[in-house]
Amino acid sequence: MRTIFREGTRVKLIDQTRLPGEVALVECASVDSLCAAILAMRIRGAPALGVAGAYGVALAAEEGPAEWGSLSEHVTGAAERLRRTRPTAVNLSWGVARAMALVVNNAGRDVDELRRQLWTFADALADRDVEINRQIGSHGAPLLADGARVLTHCNAGALATVDWGTALGVVRTAARQGKRLHIYVDETRPFLQGSRLTAWELEQEGVPYSVITDNMAGHLMARGEIDLCIVGADRIAACGDVANKIGTYTVAVLARVHGLPFYVAAPVSTIDLAIETGGDIPIEERSPEEVLTFAGVRVAPAGARARHPAFDITPAEYVTGIITEMGIAGAPFDESLAAAVAASRAGDG
Ligand code: MRU
């Protein structure tokens, strides 16, 4: 089953807040219900958010007035609300912008026809996401030797995309090639994307894994029990600095100290050439309550304060390579990433 799909003019999502306990769907019949689902992290992960953004514009056009001027105003406002829900993952604003280009290009034309085009466009973006992930998997799988012990952080799997996954897509591809792997799954405090979602996906796939708390990675690396790290990304600056789930930077520094490769797997749509360095990437701050609780149970004294930056920046110097659908980009990243973006645009054109 796909993470996000539509039935008629309704968008359906696997509710990731209910996993691993149950696989339940949420139905969004309005752009506001989709924004609420994104804010609550019922759907999450950069590529999945990109597709959600495009479906959100289609929902806005569907529910908007039939008169062109008012419809355009309604959709533009909805696009802004969608973009603001999760500011770090550039794929979200990318998906919204791609759909909005269709709105602009159809200015003054038949509104029903625009609605049809938006739904079809979002469906195509979803299909393309799956193809891209499979290409990332094919490029990345040779990096995993038979017997490799791989550390991953957060969830960059099928659930974070439409299907297959980026970092976990590489693992999935290598495992289906018959390689014997063992995956160390960082729990990923505070939202537990690792223990709840990545472990669930590996369980389904039948790939051996061990969940570890985030503070165990250094110990295992020091004992020679990890061979390489592979993670996803929410935004990659032109110089190769990578924004990903909080804690990724720690893993990258530890990997460097222990001489281990540190790979990032992400579609070209995650590369933001308009942002030169990681320092300019907006970092989402989420509610401190998510830090003060564990799986919904409060674990800090009443009155405790907390910080909750949801992402961090891994400087390009710690990144061994960035696996995209166009191949593996290496240093100097300013050149290799620009080339990947150019090649992808040439393919689109
Ligand atoms: O806050 P989340 O769960 O949306 O964060 C997700 C991540 O950081 C993923 O690693 C990233 O989006 C890549 S998903 C293929």
Side-chain angles (χ1 to χ4, degrees), residues 259-279:
L260 301 177
F262 177 88
Y263 286 100
V264 173
V268 167
S269 54
T270 306
I271 302 168
D272 187 353
L273 294 183
I275 293 228
E276 273 180 42
T277 69

Side-chain angles (χ1 to χ4, degrees), residues 41 44-47 49 86 89 153-157 160-161 165-167 191 193 231-234 244-246 265 267 284 286 310-311:
M41 309 237 306
R44 45 145 301 279
L49 291 173
R86 303 280 324 262
H153 189 74
C154 194
N155 170 264
T161 60
T166 58
F191 214 72
Q193 289 94 333
V231 300
D234 286 82
N244 192 49
K245 180 52 51 194
I246 191 77
E284 175 185 359
R286 292 185 63 85
F311 300 93

Side-chain angles (χ1 to χ4, degrees), residues 76 260 285:
T76 305
L260 301 177
E285 284 267 347

Side-chain angles (χ1 to χ4, degrees), residues 15 25 32 39 54 60 62 83 99 101 108 110 135 156-157 179 227 259 281 289 307 311 315 343:
D15 185 346
L25 292 176
D32 283 344
L39 278 169
E62 194 65 45
R83 277 195 199 98
D110 180 55
Q135 288 161 353
K179 290 180 184 165
D227 299 309
I281 297 177
E289 279 308 302
R307 283 285 311 278
F311 300 93

Side-chain angles (χ1 to χ4, degrees), residues 292-334:
L292 297 169
T293 54
F294 184 89
V297 177
R298 196 169 170 96
V299 288
R305 282 185 290 271
R307 283 285 311 278
H308 187 182
F311 300 93
D312 60 23
I313 305 294
T314 297
E317 63 182 290
Y318 294 111
V319 178
T320 310
I322 300 178
I323 310 159
T324 74
E325 68 272 29
M326 308 311 299
I328 303 179
F333 287 108
D334 52 350

